[in-house]
Amino acid sequence: MMFFSPFVDTGFGMKKPPFLVPVKATLNGTLIHPAYFLLVGIPGLGPNTHFWMAFPLCFMYALASLGNLAIILIIRVERRLHEPMYLFLAMLSTIDLVLSSVTMPKMASLFLMGIQEIEFNLCLAQMFLIHALSAMESAVLLAMAFDRFVAICYPLRHATVLPGPAVAKIGLAALTRGFVFFFPLPFILKRLSYCRTHTVTHSFCLHQDIMKLSCTDTTVNVVYGLFIILSVMGVDSLLIGVSYVLILRAVLALASRGAALKAFNTCISHLCAVLVFYVPLIGLSVVHRLGGPTSLLHVVMANVYLLLPPVVNPIVYGAKTKEIRSRIFRMFSQDGR
C-alpha cells in the first residue's frame, strides 16, 4: 500500500509539489515508512549560496582525507612510531577518515547539485555509522588520555602497562562498544511511523532528527538515546577529565619548571582533539534536548561536530608531532624517501 505526503519544504527556498514523497506502509498497516527522506542545507540560505558552499566543503573533504591517510601511512611505515600514542593516533585517523567519507560526499552533492533525497534504509545506515564512529572516536580519545596519564605519572611502567597486544585489545574494545551500543538505533527507528513531514533538518541523518519526524510514541528512543549518550560519551568525558586532573597534579609536583612544561606539552595535541570533539558534541546534545524547532544554531553545531575533527586533528598532530612533521617534510623534499 502506498501513501503520499503533501507539500514538502525542501529547505532551499522552495516547496516541492505534492505527491513527490512516496511512503510505504507495512503489511499489517500499522507502520508508515517513507521511501526516502529529504536532506536540507543551511536554513535561510538560497540555492546559489548553497552551490558555492559546496567548494569549501569539497576542499575540507580532500584535506581531511589526505591528512588522515598521510598520518596512517606514516605511522605504518615508521617503525619508531609503533608506540601506544601513535597507534592510537592511527586509530583516530582511521575513524575520522571513515566518518568524513560517510558524511561529506552526500553533503557535497546536496549543496552542489541540490540532490536532497536519501533512501530510508540508507539514511538509517548513515545515522548508525555516524553515531557508532563517534562513540569509537570517544573511546580512542579516552585511551589516548590513559596513555598520557601512564606516560607522565608512571613513565617506567609505560611499556609494560601498554604493550602492543594491549593497544590492539583497546582498539577492538572501542570498535565493539561502538557497534553494540548503537546497533539497536536503526531498529527502534523502524518501529515508528512517519506520517508527518519527511524533511530531515540537517545535511545528514541523526537519531534525534529522524525521531522528531515520527507521529508515534518515541519514549523508547528518547530514553535509549539519553542512556547511550550518558553511558558512552558521558562516561568517557568524565574519565578523560579525571585523567587530566591526575596529570596536572603529577606535572605540578615536578621540581623543574622546564620538565613540567615539557611533560605537559606532550598532551597539547590530545587536548585540542578532545576539545574539538566534545565541545560541539555537548552543545549539540543540549540544544537538541531543550526542544523547540530546529534553528540555524542546531545545524551549524551539527556541521561543526561532524566536519571539524577530521580536518583539524591531522593538522594539529602534524604540526605538534616532530616525527610526523619531519617525515612529511622528507616526503616533499627533493630527495625525500
Side-chain angles (χ1 to χ4, degrees):
M1 185 177 181
M2 298 289 292
F3 295 85
F4 298 89
S5 71
F7 288 95
V8 178
D9 189 354
T10 65
F12 282 79
M14 63 186 72
K15 288 191 177 183
K16 286 192 173 185
F19 313 120
L20 287 184
V21 183
V23 180
K24 296 180 180 179
T26 58
L27 292 177
N28 60 12
T30 58
L31 296 179
I32 302 172
H33 292 162
Y36 55 82
F37 288 115
L38 295 174
L39 302 174
V40 299
I42 308 296
L45 300 183
N48 289 334
T49 307
H50 280 104
F51 175 81
W52 290 109
M53 286 185 64
F55 294 98
L57 185 64
C58 292
F59 174 76
M60 289 176 64
Y61 178 53
L63 190 63
S65 299
L66 291 174
N68 286 294
L69 191 59
I71 286 181
I72 294 169
L73 293 176
I74 289 172
I75 294 175
R76 178 180 174 83
V77 300
E78 289 281 354
R79 286 196 165 273
R80 59 178 176 168
L81 298 182
H82 291 183
E83 299 177 4
M85 179 175 68
Y86 301 112
L87 295 176
F88 287 134
L89 176 57
M91 296 178 194
L92 186 69
S93 293
T94 303
I95 293 169
D96 282 340
L97 184 62
V98 178
L99 184 60
S100 60
S101 297
V102 167
T103 54
M104 289 191 187
K106 181 59 183 175
M107 290 180 64
S109 68
L110 169 66
F111 287 123
L112 191 61
M113 296 177 285
I115 301 175
Q116 296 179 259
E117 295 83 1
I118 180 169
E119 196 268 329
F120 177 76
N121 288 321
L122 186 60
C123 184
L124 296 185
Q126 185 191 58
M127 177 273 306
F128 164 71
L129 288 172
I130 288 174
H131 290 297
L133 289 167
S134 297
M136 295 174 198
E137 182 156 351
S138 178
V140 172
L141 289 173
L142 173 59
M144 296 173 82
F146 178 68
D147 168 72
R148 291 299 84 207
F149 163 72
V150 176
I152 292 174
C153 298
Y154 304 99
L156 299 179
R157 299 176 57 187
H158 186 242
T160 56
V161 172
L162 284 172
V167 173
K169 290 177 181 178
I170 291 174
L172 182 60
L175 178 67
T176 303
R177 189 189 67 162
F179 180 85
V180 169
F181 270 82
F182 290 91
F183 185 71
L185 286 186
F187 299 98
I188 62 177
L189 285 172
K190 293 191 80 168
R191 56 179 285 276
L192 303 176
S193 286
Y194 301 89
C195 46
R196 297 173 182 169
T197 177
H198 305 117
T199 303
V200 179
T201 52
H202 291 95
S203 306
F204 36 80
C205 298
L206 294 175
H207 174 251
Q208 308 97 308
D209 209 12
I210 301 173
M211 179 183 66
K212 290 180 180 179
L213 302 180
S214 173
C215 55
T216 48
D217 183 30
T218 59
T219 302
V220 173
N221 300 73
V222 172
V223 172
Y224 187 72
L226 186 61
F227 165 73
I228 55 179
I229 198 70
L230 291 177
S231 59
V232 176
M233 277 73 165
V235 171
D236 288 353
S237 59
L238 178 63
L239 293 177
I240 289 173
V242 171
S243 298
Y244 271 99
V245 168
L246 297 175
I247 288 172
L248 277 174
R249 190 175 69 176
V251 167
L252 293 175
L254 294 175
S256 170
R257 183 177 179 182
L261 290 175
K262 184 177 180 181
F264 193 75
N265 189 53
T266 63
C267 303
I268 298 299
S269 298
H270 178 254
L271 269 175
C272 291
V274 169
L275 292 176
V276 166
F277 178 80
Y278 278 106
V279 171
L281 171 64
I282 294 171
L284 182 62
S285 299
V286 170
V287 296
H288 265 296
R289 282 166 175 79
L290 287 178
T294 301
S295 64
L296 179 62
L297 178 63
H298 291 73
V299 176
V300 170
M301 292 189 69
N303 289 338
V304 169
Y305 160 60
L306 281 184
L307 303 183
L308 201 59
V311 176
V312 171
N313 288 341
I315 296 174
V316 171
Y317 276 98
K320 290 291 295 179
T321 307
K322 179 181 177 181
E323 292 82 0
I324 294 177
R325 188 171 63 248
S326 61
R327 178 68 183 189
I328 292 175
F329 286 153
R330 290 204 307 271
M331 287 170 60
F332 286 96
S333 64
Q334 291 183 353
D335 59 343
R337 285 191 292 267

